[in-house]
């Protein structure tokens, strides 16, 4: 987790390989792979293998995320009859981003994940990037872009997009509860005439620094907003044992201090940071904001962007980076901004703050419908239905998504 997955893979898959600390040389990456990633994946495969020995028939195994890319090939070698699926929660970048890894690591990683029968990604962009990566970096593969399959060593792996979402009913239940109401009353004293909010882990991929730089530019170039607009940032500590994260957090807090020193007055503080984790407080903040900022460099999805339309009571405007996976579904209702474009983000903040009530309402309705239409049960059901169709195809039957009765899942803890 802290040896290879987060210090290396997370950065590579979010297109941030250039931010790896200097000590993470190719030799150091190879050592982290050998001593950290490979043995942990083998341990997971061994534990699952023992469980599979007690299973009758052809079992189904569902794996999750970037920590376990080698497990599918291990399991496939033990039990060729199993049905394997893996869902990748984070982005899959274009092929050139993988070149930072040693070639042996790349080949083993891709060989491992291609042990799956079905690989799920958050967006169609991620699925296409995976196909391109196999095509460009794996010599033994045959990629079918139309069917979205990769043939490798006599097997076919299917690739699909399943955008994850939120449990809309559960979020609404929490919003109606006493804890969120207490936070709403508490936060009311912190609001400005207009209030911008962000809710993020303090992670370089979220571009918290870029969000504050754009706000600083807004105050510098449009002084009429000084004294009236506040930026409330709800930041969650994240992976502070990793050097890149500690350095990034230091830069963020230095910038906040600079903005407040330069523009603050005895009666008005431009930025206020709430540091710590509280989901009810985050929901309360989303319910009260006039503008919500999600300006990620890259995100698998970004569920905050989907929680805000359900929580918000003010027809708030969602300013959303094209780098967030959620942009694929929410772009019609959001104000889109190119990732890492400070000038564009500052202009989008101004546009959001000055938007007419009718336009705000129209956009919010589009956002809510998009989230309600494809919620969390939809995400899970689509994957299970496709697995059932694959199993039926193995047995010689023909099936389309949703035509096969779903089996009751057995969970291995």
């Amino acid at each position: 987790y802290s040896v290879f997955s987060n210090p290396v893979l997370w950065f590579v898959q979010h297109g941030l390989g250039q931010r790896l600390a200097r000590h993470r040389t190719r030799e150091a990456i190879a050592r982290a792979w050998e001593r950290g990633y490979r043995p942990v994946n083998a341990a997971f495969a061994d534990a699952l293998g023992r469980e599979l020995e007690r299973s009758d028939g052809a079992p189904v195994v569902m794996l999750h995320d970037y920590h376990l890319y080698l497990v599918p090939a291990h399991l496939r070698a033990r039990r060729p009859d199993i049905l394997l699926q893996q869902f990748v929660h984070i982005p899959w970048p274009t092929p050139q981003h993988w070149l930072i890894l040693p070639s042996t690591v790349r080949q083993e990683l891709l060989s491992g994940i291609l042990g799956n029968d079905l690989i799920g990604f958050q967006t169609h962009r991620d699925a296409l990037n995976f196909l391109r990566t196999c095509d460009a970096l794996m010599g033994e593969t045959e990629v079918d872009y139309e069917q979205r399959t990769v043939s490798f060593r006599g097997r076919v792996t299917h690739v699909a997009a399943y955008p994850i979402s939120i449990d809309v009913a559960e979020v609404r239940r929490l919003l109606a509860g006493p804890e969120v109401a207490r936070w709403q009353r508490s936060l009311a004293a912190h609001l400005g005439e207009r209030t911008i909010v962000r809710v993020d882990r303090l992670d370089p991929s979220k571009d918290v620094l870029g969000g504050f730089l754009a706000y600083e530019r807004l105050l510098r170039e449009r002084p009429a907003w000084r004294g009236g607009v506040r930026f409330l940032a709800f930041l969650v500590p994240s992976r502070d044992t990793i050097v890149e994260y500690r350095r990034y957090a230091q830069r963020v807090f230095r910038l906040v201090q600079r903005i407040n020193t330069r523009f603050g007055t005895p009666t008005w503080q431009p930025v206020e940071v709430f540091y710590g984790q509280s989901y009810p407080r985050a929901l309360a903040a989303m319910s009260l904001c006039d503008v919500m900022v999600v300006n990620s460099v890259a995100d698998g999805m970004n569920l905050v962007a989907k929680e805000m339309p359900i929580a918000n009571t003010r027809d708030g405007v969602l300013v959303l980076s094209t780098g967030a996976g959620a942009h694929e579904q929410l772009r019609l209702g959001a104000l889109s901004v190119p990732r890492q474009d400070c000038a564009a983000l500052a202009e989008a903040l101004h546009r959001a703050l000055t938007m007419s009530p009718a336009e705000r309402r129209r956009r919010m309705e589009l956002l809510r419908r998009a989230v309600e239409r494809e919620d969390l049960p939809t995400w899970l059901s689509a994957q299970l239905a496709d697995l059932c169709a694959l199993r039926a195809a193995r047995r010689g039957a023909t099936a389309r998504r949703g035509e096969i009765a779903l089996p009751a899942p057995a969970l291995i803890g």
Side-chain angles (χ1 to χ4, degrees):
Y1 189 78
S2 295
V3 175
F4 187 85
S5 294
N6 289 331
V8 179
L9 262 186
W10 176 273
F11 281 85
V12 171
Q13 291 199 228
H14 285 79
L16 297 170
Q18 76 281 4
R19 293 198 184 186
L20 291 177
R22 290 181 181 177
H23 70 275
R24 302 198 196 282
T25 61
R26 293 173 76 84
E27 292 76 17
I29 289 172
R31 284 195 301 273
W33 174 266
E34 291 291 336
R35 298 175 186 178
Y37 196 81
R38 293 184 81 214
V40 168
N41 272 256
F44 267 88
D46 287 341
L48 278 166
R50 290 192 296 273
E51 188 71 28
L52 290 171
E53 289 170 2
R54 299 194 290 270
S55 302
D56 297 325
V60 178
V61 177
M62 300 177 74
L63 301 163
H64 280 263
D65 230 352
Y66 59 106
H67 312 84
L68 302 175
Y69 285 152
L70 304 185
V71 172
H74 283 301
L75 292 179
R76 182 69 61 196
R78 288 172 181 249
R79 288 286 299 270
D81 62 321
I82 61 175
L83 193 61
L84 272 169
Q85 186 253 15
Q86 190 160 7
F87 183 78
V88 181
H89 289 258
I90 66 175
W92 192 280
T94 53
Q96 64 266 25
H97 289 287
W98 293 96
L99 298 177
I100 195 171
L101 299 180
S103 60
T104 54
V105 171
R106 290 199 307 269
Q107 295 297 310
E108 190 174 353
L109 184 153
L110 291 169
S111 299
I113 195 172
L114 287 172
N116 287 293
D117 296 285
L118 175 64
I119 307 172
F121 294 95
Q122 295 276 25
T123 67
H124 295 288
R125 176 176 61 192
D126 295 328
L128 180 59
N129 282 341
F130 177 77
L131 295 174
R132 288 170 173 163
T133 301
C134 292
D135 206 4
L137 303 180
M138 289 287 284
E140 302 175 64
T141 59
E142 182 179 333
V143 176
D144 187 325
Y145 288 95
E146 185 175 343
Q147 296 298 318
R148 293 204 167 189
T149 60
V150 181
S151 300
F152 178 64
R153 294 178 181 171
R155 294 195 62 264
V156 176
T157 298
H158 298 261
V159 176
Y162 307 102
I164 200 169
S165 193
I166 63 171
D167 186 335
V168 173
E170 176 63 12
V171 170
R172 284 182 168 147
R173 185 189 69 79
L174 290 170
L175 286 163
E179 196 169 359
V180 171
R182 282 195 298 271
W183 278 115
Q184 286 171 329
R185 291 192 294 272
S186 174
L187 291 174
H190 299 265
L191 303 179
E193 294 173 18
R194 292 279 192 278
T195 304
I196 301 168
V197 162
R198 75 173 307 133
V199 178
D200 278 309
R201 286 186 305 104
L202 191 43
D203 183 305
S205 68
K206 306 297 183 182
D207 200 15
V208 177
L209 196 73
F212 286 142
L213 286 170
Y215 178 60
E216 181 183 44
R217 182 171 183 145
L218 176 74
L219 296 178
R220 184 176 67 247
E221 296 183 350
R222 298 182 185 271
W225 289 121
R226 298 176 196 173
V229 176
R230 296 204 73 208
F231 195 147
L232 306 184
F234 297 81
L235 303 180
V236 178
S238 181
R239 300 169 184 164
D240 51 13
T241 60
I242 297 174
V243 63
E244 290 90 344
Y245 282 73
R246 291 198 304 273
R247 291 173 181 170
Y248 188 76
Q250 291 165 1
R251 293 177 64 199
V252 166
F253 285 114
R254 283 198 299 267
L255 177 58
V256 169
Q257 185 178 26
R258 184 177 86 192
I259 294 170
N260 284 336
T261 300
R262 180 177 181 183
F263 296 106
T265 69
T267 58
W268 176 71
Q269 181 178 314
V271 181
E272 187 171 1
V273 174
F274 299 79
Y275 194 54
Q277 186 159 0
S278 170
Y279 189 54
R281 182 177 66 182
L283 286 177
M286 286 187 259
S287 74
L288 297 172
C289 71
D290 298 293
V291 179
M292 182 86 188
V293 178
V294 177
N295 65 303
S296 321
V297 178
D299 256 326
M301 180 51 60
N302 194 295
L303 294 181
V304 167
K306 293 188 172 184
E307 289 163 338
M308 180 270 191
I310 302 302
N312 191 259
T313 59
R314 298 190 174 196
D315 290 332
V317 180
L318 175 63
V319 177
L320 184 60
S321 164
T322 57
H327 187 266
E328 201 166 271
Q329 292 170 290
L330 303 183
R331 64 187 184 279
L332 295 180
L335 268 187
S336 300
V337 288
R339 53 188 173 184
Q340 295 185 291
D341 188 330
C342 185
L345 181 53
E347 185 59 33
L349 291 176
H350 176 70
R351 183 180 169 194
L353 291 165
T354 56
M355 189 176 290
S356 71
E359 179 66 5
R360 292 163 66 94
R361 191 159 47 249
R362 184 189 73 82
R363 287 177 175 270
M364 179 56 74
E365 288 171 0
L366 288 171
L367 291 171
R368 285 201 182 113
R369 283 203 297 269
V371 177
E372 291 166 345
R373 187 169 55 246
E374 296 184 84
D375 61 0
L376 188 61
T378 303
W379 169 76
L380 179 58
S381 296
Q383 293 173 81
L384 293 175
D386 281 353
L387 280 168
C388 288
L390 281 175
R391 185 165 63 180
R394 275 191 180 181
R395 294 171 177 172
T398 58
R400 291 191 299 272
R401 175 183 286 183
E403 289 187 344
I404 307 293
L406 301 184
L411 303 180
I412 299 172

